[in-house]
Amino acid sequence: MATSVAQTPRRGTVRRLAGALHTRTRLRLSLLLTAPLLWLVVLYLGSLSVLFVSAFWTTDSFTSEVVKVWSADNFHALFTTPVFRQVIVRSMGVALAVTVLCAAIAFPLAFFTARVAKPKWRPLLVVAILTPLWASYLVKVYAWRLILSEGGLADWMLNPFGLSGPGFGLTATVLTLTYLWLPYMILPIHTALEQLPANLLDASADLGARTWRTFRSVALPVVLPSVAAGSVFTFSLSLGDYITVQIVGGKTQMIGNLVYSNIELNLPMAAALGTVPVVVIVLYLLAMRRTGALTSL
């Protein structure tokens, strides 16, 4: 009897609290977002802050110990040392090349899956596009290493034409990264083309527009934000990659490789190198925001 009496005030308190949350949607939303926002601020933004702060420290040249003395020497070295400048420019060039290749390959594939293929086959084609994402990253990269190696599949296919495969190097890196991130470009373009009203294409044809004019004036403005959304993935993932370069890049180096090689010997320099892709990606996101890409993600 005493237990039921004690539970009655508790039930009344829970009901009043539930009623208050039901009527105050902003409070309810704030409580729901508190945990993930704390996770984001403490772990993600906190780690980025530590990365940025440690980039201003120095290293004892004799013991390789980190000296917590504020200095901008690491950033000065990034822009004055030819090797660092070349690696930064090369990394950005690889990311842009992968993005352009993904867009060029993705558009015809997405157009076929969204507009040409029969409706009953479209879900299966989308699954086929997603299938490579289910395989292990390392398995896919090592498969490309076998394809591009001397006497591999690339050489076997090109030998009848008197040619040979690209081997390991910058070209192999771009090809492998293009294969890895291509689905991230196909899916947003497929979605945009699937939502494109068919009567717009029919009206363009009825008005005498040819295929290229229809693509340029009707399809491209609709698909362009989705292309920009896909480029956010292909560009950022390629810029920060370092495993693919180690496996198929030969002597090629990118920012990720320099970060990895400097972690043990010069942690502040590795942190300074790590801030470069972060800043570049933030600037890239700000540029893509104007195209409406972020709403298409």
Side-chain angles (χ1 to χ4, degrees), residues 201-256:
L201 301 177
D202 295 337
S204 178
D206 293 339
L207 292 173
R210 296 184 178 181
T211 303
W212 173 247
R213 181 60 186 275
T214 300
F215 166 75
R216 182 166 54 89
S217 302
V218 179
L220 187 59
V222 176
V223 176
L224 190 58
S226 298
V227 175
S231 73
V232 172
F233 293 102
T234 58
F235 183 84
S236 59
L237 292 172
S238 300
L239 186 65
D241 192 278
Y242 74 98
I243 298 178
T244 296
V245 186
Q246 288 186 329
I247 296 175
V248 301
K251 296 181 180 180
T252 304
Q253 284 190 322
M254 292 176 61
I255 295 177

Side-chain angles (χ1 to χ4, degrees), residues 7-293:
Q7 290 178 348
T8 300
R10 294 179 183 177
R11 292 177 180 176
T13 303
V14 171
R15 289 178 179 177
R16 287 193 299 270
L17 180 61
L21 292 176
H22 180 72
T23 56
R24 295 176 174 82
T25 56
R26 292 185 179 181
L27 177 61
R28 186 171 70 248
L29 181 62
S30 300
L31 292 176
L32 288 174
L33 294 178
T34 298
L37 285 177
L38 285 175
W39 180 275
L40 174 66
V41 171
V42 174
L43 293 183
Y44 183 71
L45 298 181
S47 61
L48 288 179
S49 301
V50 172
L51 174 72
F52 184 71
V53 170
S54 60
F56 288 94
W57 295 340
T58 58
T59 303
D60 189 295
S61 58
F62 182 73
T63 63
S64 297
E65 294 291 333
V66 176
V67 179
K68 298 180 180 180
V69 176
W70 290 90
S71 173
D73 292 343
N74 295 325
F75 291 100
H76 182 265
L78 289 181
F79 298 103
T80 58
T81 306
V83 174
F84 290 147
R85 290 204 308 266
Q86 292 173 4
V87 170
I88 292 172
V89 173
R90 182 187 301 124
S91 300
M92 295 177 62
V94 167
L96 288 174
V98 170
T99 299
V100 171
L101 282 175
C102 285
I105 297 172
F107 191 89
L109 289 176
F111 187 83
F112 177 80
T113 58
R115 311 297 304 187
V116 178
K118 295 181 179 180
K120 66 177 181 179
W121 294 109
R122 291 174 186 174
L124 296 177
L125 292 174
V126 173
V127 171
I129 292 171
L130 292 174
T131 300
L133 297 178
W134 302 342
S136 170
Y137 174 94
L138 289 176
V139 169
K140 292 182 289 186
V141 176
Y142 274 108
W144 272 93
R145 180 179 175 86
L146 294 176
I147 292 172
L148 299 171
S149 62
E150 185 178 356
L153 181 61
D155 283 345
W156 178 77
M157 294 179 64
L158 295 174
N159 278 338
F161 304 98
L163 303 174
S164 60
F168 302 140
L170 192 61
T171 303
T173 301
V174 173
L175 290 175
T176 305
L177 291 175
T178 300
Y179 169 78
L180 290 174
W181 314 135
L182 182 60
Y184 293 103
M185 182 68 77
I186 296 177
L187 289 179
I189 297 178
H190 169 87
T191 303
L193 289 173
E194 197 173 32
Q195 296 174 352
L196 179 65
N199 56 3
L200 292 179
L201 301 177
D202 295 337
S204 178
D206 293 339
L207 292 173
R210 296 184 178 181
T211 303
W212 173 247
R213 181 60 186 275
T214 300
F215 166 75
R216 182 166 54 89
S217 302
V218 179
L220 187 59
V222 176
V223 176
L224 190 58
S226 298
V227 175
S231 73
V232 172
F233 293 102
T234 58
F235 183 84
S236 59
L237 292 172
S238 300
L239 186 65
D241 192 278
Y242 74 98
I243 298 178
T244 296
V245 186
Q246 288 186 329
I247 296 175
V248 301
K251 296 181 180 180
T252 304
Q253 284 190 322
M254 292 176 61
I255 295 177
N257 304 106
L258 292 184
V259 172
Y260 180 77
S261 61
N262 279 279
I263 286 178
E264 296 293 337
L265 299 176
N266 194 341
L267 182 61
M269 177 56 71
L273 286 165
T275 59
V276 174
V278 174
V279 173
V280 172
I281 291 171
V282 169
L283 295 176
Y284 190 81
L285 287 174
L286 293 176
M288 291 299 103
R289 181 186 178 187
R290 296 188 176 185
T291 66

